[in-house]
Amino acid sequence: MTALRTQVAIIGAGPAGMFLAHMLRQAGIDAVVIERRDRAYVEGRVRAGVLEQVTVDLMHRLGLADRLVREGLVHDGTKLALDGEPFRIDLAGLTGGATVTVYGQQEVMRDLFDAAEAAGLTTVWNAADVTLDGMDGPCPVVSWRDAGGARSLTCDYVVGCDGFHGVSRHAIPAGILRTFERAYPFGWLGILADVPPADHELIYANHERGFALASMRSATRSRYYIQCGLDGDIAAWPDDRFWDELCLRLGPDAGGRVIRGASFEKTIAPLRSFVAEPMRWGRLFLAGDAAHIVPPTGAKGMNLAVSDVTMLGDALAEHYRDGSSAGIDGYSRRALARVWKAERFSWWFTSVTHRFPTMDGFDRRIQMAELEYIRSSPAAQRVLAENYVGLPLEVA
Ligand code: FAD
Ligand code: DHB
């Protein structure tokens, strides 16, 4: 058994873990990231596509924004469609100039990993059987096995950034942890294809047959999603069937502009809302998907992971610099205040854009009335816009 020592142990090398590692390095705090998979696997996962200003700001602050500035697509508006009729939400005009940036999570991870290698951040890959001990005492220990054998890492603090299926959250005793959950009776079938996008902005479409989303990664790469059943049968969705269904749901205007091509990625993701409280127990903190999940409709998942670690990174820096515990003591309350508002928005946006199996004619008319109201009311559009671009870091 090799015994190691650091100030902060970070479990998981996803967006939460790697952004936090860079923040701690900038503050002169020693940290080790422990990841179950290898770099290629983490970087290869096709996930989020829309960055809020909070995320863009942190990339600038960490000196990681060169490629983002060159290649990111800044969007000052987004579109909604009801039964094929699109209308635009002027995000910038309704929020005093706020925008979102389309830049894939894969690109974010590549920038984080390249900079981590250049800076010599310590990352342990392929760590098996990660175990957390002594989180409620003065010297927590993280243990695992890797190619070099069994390891144990003693530290001041542990941050669980290991996603929804990680181990960290389960280290909090059942009598302390409270969880809140909603599972949705459908999933998203997503594809990537090297074809120009149908529109220069995103289109969130509510159609009688179900939800569809037109997104992109660049001027030559499109990302499209359609709501699907949860049976997980990808084979039932050959490309032709996907394109036909997508075009139908987007309607004649946008659907007519869809350029078809061979998909090179096709996956089904379930939709879930989930929050675990508190986000700190003793010397263990939780951040990102380890503590909360949102359905992807609001494009909030990765952005919430970043807002958590922005708060936590600054609080830990203050703690090591000044000896103050105010920031780390307030972390769970501050983070959860923002998390719940993003949970509400993601749940609401999902409810008004998707077809639920239990929906009857009344439910459908209410949904249509809500979207018609948004189309006609600047006040309703403003509520949507200020949530979509991302609420400020401090919301309570
Ligand atoms: P993760 O990205 O999950 O990273 C956690 C890391 O911890 C992983 O690298 C994992 O390998 C590692 N890990 C897990 N267990 C252990 C362990 N026991 N020991 C060590 N390491 C461990 N968001 C959007 O905004 N838009 C989308 O379209 C979208 N699509 C998504 C599709 C899928 C299938 C999923 C799962 C998520 C999607 N999200 C989307 C959400 C977004 O990708 C996440 O919110 C974001 O990745 C959260 O970052 P994180 O660092 O908290 O967690
Ligand atoms: C993408 C994903 C989302 O969940 C969303 O709301 C917008 C865009 C994307 O992958 O491009």
Side-chain angles (χ1 to χ4, degrees), residues 133-158:
D133 289 298
M135 295 300 124
D136 54 343
C139 53
V141 179
V142 180
S143 323
W144 69 94
R145 280 184 306 103
D146 59 33
R151 318 274 186 187
S152 82
L153 175 68
T154 304
C155 52
D156 302 333
Y157 296 101
V158 177

Side-chain angles (χ1 to χ4, degrees), residues 120-137:
L121 299 192
T122 313
T123 310
V124 177
W125 300 107
N126 299 308
D129 302 333
V130 173
T131 310
L132 279 55
D133 289 298
M135 295 300 124
D136 54 343

Side-chain angles (χ1 to χ4, degrees), residues 324-380:
S324 159
S325 292
I328 57 175
D329 288 348
Y331 165 70
S332 178
R333 183 193 52 75
R334 285 175 66 206
L336 283 166
R338 192 170 189 278
V339 163
W340 272 113
K341 289 177 181 63
E343 289 283 346
R344 185 209 67 81
F345 175 67
S346 304
W347 161 83
W348 170 81
F349 202 22
T350 303
S351 322
V352 294
T353 49
H354 288 66
R355 175 160 191 91
F356 287 71
T358 52
M359 264 171 91
D360 60 12
F362 180 86
D363 297 318
R364 174 78 185 137
R365 287 293 187 281
I366 291 289
Q367 216 182 41
M368 290 164 79
E370 181 136 20
L371 285 163
E372 291 294 354
Y373 175 58
I374 296 168
R375 187 206 300 269
S376 62
S377 160

Side-chain angles (χ1 to χ4, degrees), residues 11-18 34-37 41-42 45-50 105 109 127 129-130 161-168 188 217 223 225 267-270 287-290 292-294 296-305:
I11 319 293
M18 291 311 296
I34 302 136
E35 165 62 47
R36 189 174 55 163
R37 314 300 293 247
Y41 179 90
V42 179
R45 287 187 292 215
V46 180
R47 288 180 163 187
V50 176
Q105 183 166 334
M109 292 317 301
D129 302 333
V130 173
C161 299
D162 47 352
F164 181 67
H165 299 287
V167 290
S168 302
W188 276 19
R217 288 293 176 270
R223 177 80 166 143
Y225 299 94
T267 42
I268 295 179
D289 279 16
H292 42 73
I293 297 285
V294 284
T297 325
K300 295 277 168 257
M302 182 170 65
N303 294 298
L304 273 184

Side-chain angles (χ1 to χ4, degrees), residues 20 23 30 38 53 56 79 107 119 133 142 159 166 177 222 252 274 285 331 341 347 395:
L20 182 64
M23 287 188 78
D30 194 34
D38 60 21
Q53 197 59 44
V56 171
K79 295 189 176 94
E107 309 308 321
D133 289 298
V142 180
V159 187
L177 196 73
S222 300
F274 173 84
F285 299 90
Y331 165 70
K341 289 177 181 63
W347 161 83
V395 291

